[in-house]
Amino acid sequence: MSLFSHLRALWRQDIRLRTIVTLSLLLGIILLVATAWRLDEIRTSLEEATRSHAHTIGRTFTILRAVAPNENLHLLQSVLDSYHDDPDIARVDLLDVDRMIIASTEPGRVGHTVTDSHTTQAREQGSEIIGYDTLSHESHFLVAVEPLRNGQLITGWVRIEFPLAKMQRQVTLATQGSILTGVFLIGSTVLLALFSMHRISALFRDTATRLQTTLTSLTQQFPDLKPSIEAPGTDPTFTLPSQCGEIERTVALINHTLGLLTRQTDLIQTFTSWLGNAVTSQTSQLNDTVDDLKRETAERAQAELTLRENETKYRGIFESSRDAIMLLFPPEWKFTACNPATVDLFGADSAEHFTSLGPWDVSPPVQADGELSTSKAPTVIQRAMQEGSHYFEWMHRRINGPAFPATVLLTRITLQGKTGLQATVRDISEQKRAEQALRDLSEFQKAILDNAGHAIISATPDGIIRVFNPAAEQLLGYSADELVGKLTPAVFHDPQEVVARAQAFSAELGIDLEPGFNVFVEKCRRDLPNTHEWTYIRKDGSRLTVLLTITALRNPEGTITSFLGVASDITTLKVVQQELTLAKDAAEAASVAKSQFLANMSHEIRTPMNGVLGMTELLLATPLTEKQRHMAHTVQQSAASLLTIINDILDYSKIEAGKLQLEHTDIDLSHLLDDAVKLFSEAARQKGLSLSATVTPTIPTVLRGDPTRLRQILLNLIGNSIKFTATGSIAVIADCLKRDPEQILLRVTVRDTGIGIPCESQAHVFDAFAQADGSTTRKFGGTGLGLTIVKQLVHLMGGTVDLESTPGLGSTFGFTVPLEVGPEKKMSSVLAALQQAPATLHGTVLLAEDNVVNREIAVAMLELLGCTVDIAEDGQEVLDAVNARPYDLILMDCQMPNLDGLNASRLIRERESRRPHRRHLPIVALTANAMEGDREQCLAAGMDGYLAKPFTFDQLHHALAPWLENAA
């Protein structure tokens, strides 16, 4: 047989050979494709890198051409020389637009014209070209041609040749790697296939051997069992053919194994039939046995379930109990088990630690009754074992800790046939403390009741007395034994008073309240205050007045459990109260008399004062000699000083009576300070003093408060400084100590260089009618009320006043007041109108004034203002005049004979109300009264304005301007 025939036969017979060759071919094709893809990837990567390199070189020469024109070839050549030693570059040629070499890494090529296909193609397309060239040198090159541009215009070309040796090396390495990988994979695959085939053949051979052994064993054990049909391939002498491949032998083994399985299946079916007959014969016998077993099993299962449930419940109680639970058994009576609460209570490290101890280890040496713990413990254990349980108190001790009281319940138990005790221990330290606190509280309450200075009486909800303290016994003459638990409080109350109170409370509460115990406690049931005066009748029949406060005591659910009454004897207080009432009435009468006296004195003094000031002002408006003018000024200043004294007395009286009310309006602090300084500027100039005012920028422009009283404070302080300063200066400084969006704390100081105040006198300068000493009163004059009024006004504003002074150097008076921050706004139109008001007014004015001098002054001033004036001497003449002709305004004196100004104003307003279309006639009050409430009286009567006597020309103009300007 030829070699070819032998190989062909081997190929046909050996499936393993065919499998190995096929796998090798498939793996070889896959590796060939992968190698080709990898080589293409390397080539593409190198071309991209070459293209990027060529583009970079092209950009370099483009920039150099832009910087150095063609005539500077030396610079280009020097750059080309830098590429000469680059192993990745074979040659670089710089061409002009006609493809002539103007510079090269090989200087000998300069002047030649390049006509290769790549340069020609690049020139035709006007773009870069890259390709392979195998003509210029012995080795292969990659040629790149890049255009040199000046904007869109091509000014030359760069031709670069890159050697392909690097690419070829990488391709060679990649090819070698692929071949080695292929050989490795093919060899591994062939070895794996051979090994797998061998393992499969061995597996089937082993399976066939085991099946044959099993079949032989069944045949020997059951010789009567014969299969109905002998399965093919079940010959026990079966041998594998030797002239075949591994896979053919495996197939023969599989067939043999299947034959054995078929035979074994027949045997099993025959055996199953025989066994079924045997099982059927035994089934009836087993059914009864099974039923019995089921019943027994069900009963046992139920018992076990009940046992487990009980055990679970007990375990849950045992583990979760807040009380310490432990088990102990004879003969040693040591603890054998415990729950977590036990470990926590006694401070043990763990349950194992605690169960190593006995009762004596967690008890102090001696119990509370003085008996030793070691002798008392066996006694209580024996009693619990005999009686089944025993409950008692015991002193325990924490491990390495203090002793504590506890209650112990010992219960006899039987576990697993062994009898012992379960101990349940509860710490009662808090209970003991609470009991002691309750005892202390009871003793404390008893001490209070026994020693209280007031009668304390408690009654049950139905009125029976349950507490009657010693003070009540002393007050009423009854003993507690006579009343407690027997009688109601009605025994010591006046029955007629109870009936009267029942009627009063019925009307007050809107119910029908019968006389009896409910009269005392009905308000408490309704949670109303229940404090009233009652008349008690002592046991001896004498009477006394008490102030009785009754309170309902309720439990946590709100149910009344008792009533508690506390009575204080106020008989003496009632006498004192009557005396105080009489004294109060007398004081009020004196105050009314004083107020009436001040009002009358104010009226009587201001009326002639108005004449003096008014005539002086009119006199100064006429031509006078210097001497006459000086005398008139002197009269005016004296009258003004007298008026200041009168105003101070009235202000002090208002403040003392608590009738001075503060305004709440806008304040321009800068304007207010300027006005105050201007008012005293002439007095300061005459004494040669420097008077200045400073307002810090941190103070808001608009504040809110009482500008009139703030101005009065400033005037009093500045006037005081001018009075007591002979030389030097007076400085008024306003500053902001604290500020927030809604309020500031204003600080104003008035500093002078006057005579100063001795230390011993500084504490009294703010007292009424006080000055530094009597000599200053005579030397400088004054009532001594100015600083008192300052202090009281500052306190009314919620501020403080202070003083720093050094005798001979001067004084600094200061005050601090809180003021609201007002909204920034322009000066009001009314104020602007007043400031810009003309010197004269126009209108018809009815003057109602009974005093001849005051009438003459008012007429003269009104005429100077440009008004037409009619005169009425009482209220009736005013009514007649108003009916006779229309007026623009009435200047009405409040106190006139026949019909006063207040009643006349009311009558005018009543007539206007009956005639809705009649014009509202302005009425300005003219009065010498300047007490608190006078202005409100005038406004309540229907008047529109208020002008106090004496008044100046400017004050009269200010009071009439709003009305007469509207009339004009």
Side-chain angles (χ1 to χ4, degrees):
M1 181 182 293
S2 64
L3 179 61
F4 177 76
S5 299
H6 179 74
L7 292 176
R8 183 177 179 181
L10 183 62
W11 174 263
R12 288 179 177 179
Q13 294 175 1
D14 198 342
I15 297 176
R16 180 170 55 185
L17 177 61
R18 293 198 300 269
T19 302
I20 292 172
V21 172
T22 302
L23 288 175
S24 300
L25 289 175
L26 288 175
L27 289 174
I29 294 171
I30 293 171
L31 289 173
L32 182 62
V33 173
T35 303
W37 175 80
R38 174 59 180 159
L39 293 176
D40 184 65
E41 183 183 45
I42 293 172
R43 184 179 294 105
T44 302
S45 175
L46 289 174
E47 288 179 357
E48 289 297 328
T50 302
R51 188 184 305 275
S52 176
H53 197 173
H55 183 68
T56 302
I57 295 172
R59 291 294 300 163
T60 301
F61 284 106
T62 298
I63 295 170
L64 290 175
R65 288 290 297 273
V67 175
N70 290 341
E71 58 271 14
N72 192 0
L73 296 178
H74 178 72
L75 178 60
L76 298 176
Q77 186 62 47
S78 63
V79 175
L80 286 170
D81 291 342
S82 65
Y83 295 115
H84 186 270
D85 297 327
D86 190 340
D88 293 333
I89 299 175
R91 179 189 299 153
V92 180
D93 294 332
L94 187 60
L95 314 179
D96 59 11
V97 292
D98 295 328
R99 296 182 292 173
M100 185 179 74
I101 299 175
I102 60 174
S104 175
T105 54
E106 297 179 5
R109 290 174 53 82
V110 175
H112 291 78
T113 300
V114 180
T115 59
D116 64 325
S117 60
H118 302 298
T119 306
T120 303
Q121 186 180 358
R123 183 180 183 189
E124 292 174 353
Q125 294 180 1
S127 62
E128 67 273 9
I129 292 294
I130 187 168
Y132 295 94
D133 184 11
T134 59
L135 300 177
S136 57
H137 293 278
E138 295 178 357
S139 59
H140 291 77
F141 288 89
L142 186 63
V143 179
V145 182
E146 286 282 338
L148 303 178
R149 299 180 183 273
N150 185 5
Q152 296 297 326
L153 181 63
I154 296 175
T155 60
W157 305 88
V158 175
R159 185 178 181 276
I160 311 163
E161 295 180 0
F162 297 94
L164 297 178
K166 181 178 180 180
M167 180 189 297
Q168 292 171 351
R169 287 194 299 272
Q170 291 189 6
V171 170
T172 300
L173 291 175
T175 303
Q176 293 173 352
S178 298
I179 292 172
L180 291 175
T181 303
V183 171
F184 174 75
L185 289 176
I186 291 172
S188 300
T189 304
V190 170
L191 291 176
L192 183 61
L194 290 174
F195 178 76
S196 299
M197 291 178 184
H198 179 74
R199 290 297 300 165
I200 291 171
S201 179
L203 178 62
F204 277 102
R205 187 182 298 109
D206 183 63
T207 301
T209 301
R210 291 183 180 182
L211 286 173
Q212 184 66 48
T213 302
T214 302
L215 188 61
T216 302
S217 176
L218 285 173
T219 303
Q220 291 175 355
Q221 292 181 9
F222 303 96
D224 297 334
L225 297 179
K226 299 292 184 178
S228 58
I229 300 174
E230 190 71 19
T234 59
D235 184 6
T237 61
F238 170 78
T239 57
L240 290 174
S242 59
Q243 299 297 323
C244 63
E246 186 71 26
I247 293 179
E248 286 80 354
R249 288 195 297 271
T250 301
V251 172
L253 280 172
I254 291 173
N255 291 331
H256 179 64
T257 302
L258 288 174
L260 291 175
L261 285 172
T262 302
R263 184 182 179 192
Q264 188 168 353
T265 300
D266 290 342
L267 287 174
I268 290 173
Q269 288 177 350
T270 304
F271 177 76
T272 301
S273 176
W274 175 81
L275 186 62
N277 294 330
V279 169
T280 302
S281 64
Q282 298 294 326
T283 300
S284 58
Q285 298 177 6
L286 292 175
N287 285 336
D288 296 337
T289 304
V290 169
D291 292 339
D292 294 340
L293 289 174
K294 285 181 178 179
R295 284 193 298 272
E296 183 180 350
T297 302
E299 292 173 356
R300 182 177 296 178
Q302 183 62 38
E304 291 178 352
L305 178 61
T306 303
L307 181 62
R308 284 196 298 271
E309 288 177 351
N310 293 334
E311 182 181 355
T312 301
K313 291 178 182 179
Y314 177 78
R315 175 63 61 180
I317 296 172
F318 184 80
E319 294 293 338
S320 62
S321 175
R322 297 173 62 182
D323 293 332
I325 302 176
M326 58 216 75
L327 305 180
L328 58 166
F329 291 89
E332 296 181 356
W333 293 110
K334 295 183 68 175
F335 299 118
T336 60
C338 69
N339 66 343
T342 304
V343 176
D344 296 336
L345 178 63
F346 290 98
D349 296 336
S350 62
E352 291 76 10
H353 175 208
F354 185 81
T355 53
S356 65
L357 307 175
W360 48 88
D361 294 318
V362 289
S363 301
V366 179
Q367 288 298 306
D369 57 1
E371 188 176 354
L372 295 176
S373 298
T374 52
S375 62
K376 189 173 183 178
T379 302
V380 296
I381 290 174
Q382 183 179 4
R383 181 175 176 181
M385 291 294 289
Q386 291 174 352
E387 299 178 1
S389 67
H390 181 38
Y391 182 81
F392 56 94
E393 288 190 5
W394 185 266
M395 287 299 296
H396 270 297
R397 179 176 58 83
R398 291 180 175 85
I399 299 173
N400 299 325
F404 62 92
T407 58
V408 180
L409 173 62
L410 295 180
T411 305
R412 187 177 62 208
I413 61 173
T414 300
L415 291 178
Q416 299 177 352
K418 189 175 182 180
T419 301
L421 290 176
Q422 172 185 291
T424 303
V425 179
R426 177 175 295 177
D427 184 357
I428 59 171
S429 300
E430 291 297 327
Q431 177 183 333
K432 290 291 186 181
R433 281 193 286 269
E435 291 174 354
Q436 184 61 42
L438 184 61
R439 285 193 295 271
D440 294 343
L441 180 60
S442 298
E443 293 175 0
F444 178 70
Q445 290 176 342
K446 185 176 184 304
I448 291 177
L449 290 173
D450 292 345
N451 299 284
H454 302 281
I456 299 176
I457 303 168
S458 175
T460 61
D462 56 358
I464 301 300
I465 296 174
R466 62 191 302 180
V467 174
F468 198 80
N469 75 331
E473 294 178 332
Q474 184 178 1
L475 182 68
L476 293 170
Y478 292 96
S479 67
D481 294 337
E482 295 178 88
L483 302 180
V484 173
K486 302 174 182 178
L487 301 176
T488 70
V491 68
F492 46 79
H493 274 276
D494 184 354
Q496 295 180 351
E497 185 180 49
V498 174
V499 172
R501 290 290 174 86
Q503 296 173 353
F505 289 168
S506 296
E508 179 183 349
L509 301 177
I511 60 174
D512 187 10
L513 193 61
E514 295 293 332
F517 181 70
N518 288 337
V519 174
F520 305 114
V521 300
E522 185 60 32
K523 285 190 174 182
C524 296
R525 290 195 176 104
R526 298 171 181 265
D527 291 328
L528 297 175
N530 193 2
T531 300
H532 300 281
E533 292 182 6
W534 291 88
T535 300
Y536 276 180
I537 301 176
R538 293 190 179 94
K539 186 177 181 180
D540 60 8
S542 59
R543 293 172 175 262
L544 70 155
T545 303
V546 297
L547 184 65
L548 176 61
T549 299
I550 302 176
T551 305
L553 305 180
R554 302 176 185 269
N555 60 19
E557 289 74 28
T559 304
I560 295 176
T561 57
S562 61
F563 294 97
L564 180 68
V566 179
S568 303
D569 184 2
I570 60 171
T571 305
T572 305
L573 292 178
K574 294 292 288 185
V575 175
V576 174
Q577 183 180 6
Q578 292 177 354
E579 294 176 353
L580 289 176
T581 301
L582 294 175
K584 177 177 175 292
D585 293 341
E588 289 178 349
S591 177
V592 171
K594 183 184 75 172
S595 298
Q596 188 61 44
F597 171 76
L598 287 174
N600 292 336
M601 289 301 298
S602 172
H603 184 271
E604 295 303 324
I605 294 174
R606 284 175 179 274
T607 299
M609 188 64 64
N610 185 52
V612 173
L613 287 174
M615 284 299 182
T616 304
E617 189 167 5
L618 293 174
L619 179 62
L620 289 172
T622 62
L624 298 173
T625 64
E626 285 298 323
K627 186 174 182 179
Q628 291 171 335
R629 185 170 297 279
H630 174 71
M631 289 188 290
H633 268 302
T634 302
V635 173
Q636 187 182 43
Q637 291 175 356
S638 299
S641 298
L642 182 59
L643 183 61
T644 300
I645 294 172
I646 294 171
N647 289 335
D648 284 347
I649 293 173
L650 292 177
D651 284 341
Y652 178 73
S653 176
K654 294 175 188 177
I655 295 172
E656 190 181 46
K659 295 181 178 180
L660 187 66
Q661 300 294 326
L662 297 177
E663 296 180 357
H664 191 72
T665 185
D666 291 347
I667 301 174
D668 186 341
L669 187 62
S670 299
H671 181 73
L672 192 147
L673 279 177
D674 289 343
D675 282 351
V677 170
K678 287 177 182 178
L679 187 63
F680 288 100
S681 59
E682 179 61 24
R685 186 189 63 78
Q686 291 178 1
K687 295 185 71 172
L689 301 175
S690 171
L691 178 60
S692 63
T694 303
V695 179
T696 59
T698 57
I699 297 178
T701 306
V702 180
L703 301 171
R704 290 186 65 81
D706 190 333
T708 303
R709 297 306 174 185
L710 190 59
R711 182 175 183 273
Q712 184 177 358
I713 294 170
L714 288 169
L715 293 180
N716 283 359
L717 291 178
I718 296 172
N720 186 74
S721 292
I722 289 178
K723 182 192 298 185
F724 293 102
T725 303
T727 60
S729 63
I730 299 169
V732 183
I733 301 173
D735 195 5
C736 177
L737 295 184
K738 183 180 178 182
R739 177 175 180 175
D740 55 45
E742 297 180 355
Q743 192 180 61
I744 73 163
L745 191 61
L746 178 67
R747 169 71 175 174
V748 179
T749 57
V750 179
R751 182 182 296 110
D752 63 53
T753 57
I755 61 174
I757 302 173
C759 295
E760 62 273 12
S761 301
Q762 291 180 16
H764 306 290
V765 294
F766 292 104
D767 296 342
F769 310 108
Q771 289 188 337
D773 54 43
S775 64
T776 57
T777 305
R778 293 189 295 274
K779 180 178 179 180
F780 295 99
T783 62
L785 289 176
L787 293 179
T788 302
I789 294 172
V790 166
K791 179 181 179 181
Q792 293 179 343
L793 288 177
V794 169
H795 286 176
L796 277 176
M797 293 181 179
T800 58
V801 64
D802 55 82
L803 165 66
E804 294 180 4
S805 182
T806 303
L809 297 180
S811 304
T812 299
F813 288 88
F815 66 92
T816 304
V817 292
L819 295 174
E820 291 184 14
V821 178
E824 296 289 339
K825 58 184 179 180
K826 296 181 179 179
M827 187 182 298
S828 66
S829 58
V830 175
L831 181 60
L834 291 176
Q835 291 179 344
Q836 300 174 2
T840 59
L841 301 171
H842 300 283
T844 303
V845 177
L846 177 60
L847 173 64
E849 174 63 72
D850 63 313
N851 186 277
V852 177
V853 176
N854 288 342
R855 189 165 62 234
E856 182 179 351
I857 293 170
V859 169
M861 289 187 177
L862 288 170
E863 289 177 347
L864 286 175
L865 287 173
C867 299
T868 302
V869 185
D870 287 347
I871 297 175
E873 296 187 7
D874 59 30
Q876 188 58 51
E877 292 184 8
V878 171
L879 298 177
D880 296 339
V882 170
N883 290 332
R885 61 169 294 183
Y887 289 96
D888 295 319
L889 181 140
I890 300 177
L891 190 59
M892 181 90 73
D893 187 18
C894 290
Q895 294 184 353
M896 294 185 295
N898 299 326
L899 183 65
D900 61 28
L902 297 177
N903 288 321
S905 298
R906 294 189 183 97
L907 292 173
I908 292 173
R909 296 305 180 217
E910 289 178 4
R911 292 179 181 179
E912 289 178 351
S913 64
R914 292 195 293 268
R915 300 177 186 177
H917 301 294
R918 186 171 181 177
R919 183 179 68 86
H920 178 82
L921 178 59
I923 302 175
V924 176
L926 186 63
T927 178
N929 292 334
M931 295 298 291
E932 183 69 24
D934 292 338
R935 178 185 180 90
E936 288 71 19
Q937 260 188 331
C938 295
L939 297 179
M943 297 182 174
D944 301 287
Y946 178 89
L947 183 62
K949 300 175 186 177
F951 55 85
T952 63
F953 183 81
D954 290 337
Q955 290 172 340
L956 179 63
H957 179 279
H958 181 78
L960 303 185
W963 313 107
L964 293 183
E965 284 181 352
N966 293 336

